[in-house]
Amino acid sequence: MKQSDEIWWRHGVFYQIYPRSFQDSNADGVGDIRGIIDRLPYLQALGIDAIWLSPVFPSPMADFGYDIADYTGIDPLFGMMADFDDLMSAAHASGFKVILDLVPNHTSDQHPWFVESRGSRDNARRDWYIWHEPAADGGPPNNWLSEFGGSSWTFDAATSQYYYHAFLAQQPDLNWRNPAVRHAIHDVMRFWLGKGVDGFRVDVIWHLIKDAEFRDNPPNPHFREGRPPHEKILTRYSTDQPEVHEVIAEMRRVIDEFDDRVLIGEIYLPLHRLVAYYGNDLGGAHLPFNFALLSTLWSARSIEKIIADYEAALPAGAWPNWVLGNHDRPRVASRVGPDQARVAAMLLLTLRGTPTFYYGDEIGMHQVAIAPERVRDPFEKNVPGIGVGRDGCRTPMQWDATAHGGFSRAMPWLPLPDDFVHENVVNLEADARSILSLYKALITLRRKLLPLRSGDYVPIAAQGDLLLYRRQSEGQAVVIALNLGDQPVSIASGAAGLNGDILLSTFLDREAEKVDGTLDLRGNEGVMIGV
């Protein structure tokens, strides 16, 4: 058994790439695998340890790759299997781990499994998906709603039954109560693990099992107008069923057939339910993704409580994790503001646990307003007018000031903001005090200092906009002081145990400054202090 600090997914920094938007190598306006290979030197300079790729499998692209038509292929849009093999070789040679998105809850309606399943009621694969008789009035079997708008049941006239889809009608849900489905997905996992993939991030893992009786979901008493319509009901019976943990335990056993691999679960649940996905005796997901920072009120006390609640809820031996941004949520720089985005970076990279951030967050990319005629996201098309579109956080990476931001020689699939001419990698690399320089400095210190990699988290009492905590290990300690407000704050440093040397400020201008008696923080500033 390895010591915990030697387990790569515990001490590594994870970086999510949305392949369509990272780098286009063949001038078709869409990012691809060769483009990712071309940018590996940038990722090395950034200092990250693991690359998580959103789906690159063959797909009709109804939901941009989250509708998979072949689990063991590469979509020509992204390249060929040989390109993927080259990426694996180049990434591993560069010291990176590679995580693939596994989407086992649903397939494309063009997947051969579903084509067979809908062929007839007595087809051998009929029970691979969730089919149900109509209700007495001929309508859907129950009141379950699609997250992308409307009923989650679509009627198939040829066989006179409904099939279930938690998302688009083009994304029918697999029936995970069928052992044949489980075995088929396990074989998919083994295929990619055999190619050297270092693990999976499992899409909507809490959706995999549905209520066996298909009971109606209860109404949501807290629903507010202006929110997505599927939130009108609580997903009591369509997600987070007790049997899902058996399914995840089986996935974990497949992962454990291979050395040094990781199983990550995408789970949007309250913390007390989230931690159950570690499984009994930690036989579940290694890292059930903790998305609390994506939706919390950005205030010191709110974040302090989330950290405390999460740390208290973790099972013994479980390793925490934190996520700052992803392909489904508005950009962090737009959620908290560009000034606080620096504070957020210091928070993410100094909390106890594995940090994950989203491509472009390290250069402060913001949510881009997409003109109606350029909207690509099916969520926005199905539920327009309330701001649910995800295109704005999926815009092309801003590499330089040339046409299309250095992302492509052709018109990109989504537009770039006008500020890419100034806010781009080349410019920010030349600025020693840029947010990109801050990310590099934070990752460097995280790698260098044992307390940041694996030390305990110890809260320090604070008030107002100030968030204070200590990371400590084996006689070493680092104190993190974050000002989540825009006004200056002074702290009696002796009482708070802050006396020492500043290792890093989010403004990148106070390194080696001594703190003795008082710590003065500017508005929107965070510092790390070696004590």
Side-chain angles (χ1 to χ4, degrees), residues 324 332-333 336-346 361 364 435 438-439:
L324 194 57
V332 63
V336 305
D339 295 329
Q340 278 292 311
R342 288 174 172 258
V343 176
M346 183 170 280
D361 283 349
I435 188 171
L438 173 63
Y439 266 88

Side-chain angles (χ1 to χ4, degrees), residues 44-102:
Q44 276 193 303
L46 182 58
I48 58 99
D49 300 284
I51 302 164
W52 155 30
L53 300 180
S54 291
V56 292
F57 314 107
S59 168
M61 299 295 167
D63 190 23
F64 297 107
Y66 286 91
D67 50 318
I68 295 172
D70 177 1
Y71 280 109
T72 57
I74 298 294
D75 195 287
L77 187 69
F78 300 118
M80 301 182 296
M81 186 63 77
D83 298 313
F84 180 82
D85 292 339
D86 288 347
L87 172 61
M88 290 297 303
S89 296
H92 284 162
S94 299
F96 298 125
K97 303 294 186 179
V98 179
I99 309 300
L100 284 189
D101 240 326
L102 181 68

Side-chain angles (χ1 to χ4, degrees), residues 96-171:
F96 298 125
K97 303 294 186 179
V98 179
I99 309 300
L100 284 189
D101 240 326
L102 181 68
V103 188
N105 178 70
H106 48 265
T107 69
S108 165
D109 61 351
Q110 296 182 32
H111 195 293
W113 297 345
F114 188 70
V115 173
E116 289 186 43
S117 183
R118 79 188 309 175
S120 68
R121 288 194 178 206
D122 59 2
N123 186 277
R125 283 205 168 99
R126 184 68 169 185
D127 192 46
W128 280 44
Y129 293 82
I130 299 172
W131 294 92
H132 204 289
E133 296 292 340
D137 63 0
N142 61 26
N143 71 342
W144 296 358
L145 297 177
S146 163
E147 292 204 9
F148 287 165
S151 172
S152 59
W153 296 95
T154 289
F155 187 67
D156 180 64
T159 58
S160 299
Q161 282 188 322
Y162 283 85
Y163 68 86
Y164 177 73
H165 51 91
F167 300 94
L168 296 174
Q170 299 97 315
Q171 294 171 289

Side-chain angles (χ1 to χ4, degrees), residues 80-314:
M80 301 182 296
M81 186 63 77
D83 298 313
F84 180 82
D85 292 339
D86 288 347
L87 172 61
M88 290 297 303
S89 296
H92 284 162
S94 299
F96 298 125
K97 303 294 186 179
V98 179
I99 309 300
L100 284 189
D101 240 326
L102 181 68
V103 188
N105 178 70
H106 48 265
T107 69
S108 165
D109 61 351
Q110 296 182 32
H111 195 293
W113 297 345
F114 188 70
V115 173
E116 289 186 43
S117 183
R118 79 188 309 175
S120 68
R121 288 194 178 206
D122 59 2
N123 186 277
R125 283 205 168 99
R126 184 68 169 185
D127 192 46
W128 280 44
Y129 293 82
I130 299 172
W131 294 92
H132 204 289
E133 296 292 340
D137 63 0
N142 61 26
N143 71 342
W144 296 358
L145 297 177
S146 163
E147 292 204 9
F148 287 165
S151 172
S152 59
W153 296 95
T154 289
F155 187 67
D156 180 64
T159 58
S160 299
Q161 282 188 322
Y162 283 85
Y163 68 86
Y164 177 73
H165 51 91
F167 300 94
L168 296 174
Q170 299 97 315
Q171 294 171 289
D173 278 39
L174 286 162
N175 176 17
W176 273 84
R177 293 184 181 275
N178 185 336
V181 169
R182 299 187 189 190
H183 294 154
I185 296 297
H186 295 165
D187 286 343
V188 168
M189 296 171 68
R190 292 186 182 101
F191 173 84
W192 292 108
L193 293 167
K195 280 186 164 289
V197 167
D198 298 288
F200 300 100
R201 172 268 192 189
V202 183
D203 188 62
V204 297
I205 200 170
W206 84 108
H207 274 261
L208 293 182
I209 293 286
K210 289 77 174 171
D211 179 51
E213 299 176 34
F214 297 97
R215 286 170 283 188
D216 277 354
N217 278 323
N220 178 2
H222 305 295
F223 177 74
R224 306 191 319 271
E225 290 301 326
R227 294 293 302 164
H230 73 272
E231 294 181 6
K232 290 180 180 178
I233 61 172
L234 301 173
T235 57
R236 179 176 300 168
Y237 298 114
S238 52
T239 68
D240 193 30
Q241 300 301 292
E243 302 95 321
V244 75
H245 298 293
E246 174 191 340
V247 167
I248 297 169
E250 290 177 356
M251 286 184 168
R252 173 66 178 270
R253 287 196 285 273
V254 174
I255 286 285
D256 288 346
E257 293 172 12
F258 298 79
D259 292 334
D260 292 335
R261 312 301 167 95
V262 67
L263 185 67
I264 302 168
E266 182 199 26
I267 305 161
Y268 284 95
L269 287 173
L271 291 175
H272 71 282
R273 294 298 307 140
L274 169 73
V275 296
Y277 284 75
Y278 284 100
N280 294 327
D281 299 320
L282 301 183
H286 293 100
L287 299 174
F289 260 160
N290 170 14
F291 295 125
L293 294 179
L294 296 182
S295 56
T296 185
L297 176 67
W298 197 254
S299 75
R301 301 289 72 78
S302 294
I303 295 171
E304 182 180 60
K305 185 177 188 306
I306 282 171
I307 300 168
D309 290 349
Y310 182 48
E311 287 278 354
L314 286 168

Side-chain angles (χ1 to χ4, degrees), residues 455-472:
D456 294 335
Y457 166 85
V458 181
I460 300 173
Q463 295 180 339
D465 292 323
L466 190 63
L467 179 64
L468 296 176
Y469 52 94
R470 178 189 301 263
R471 299 292 311 284
Q472 59 189 35

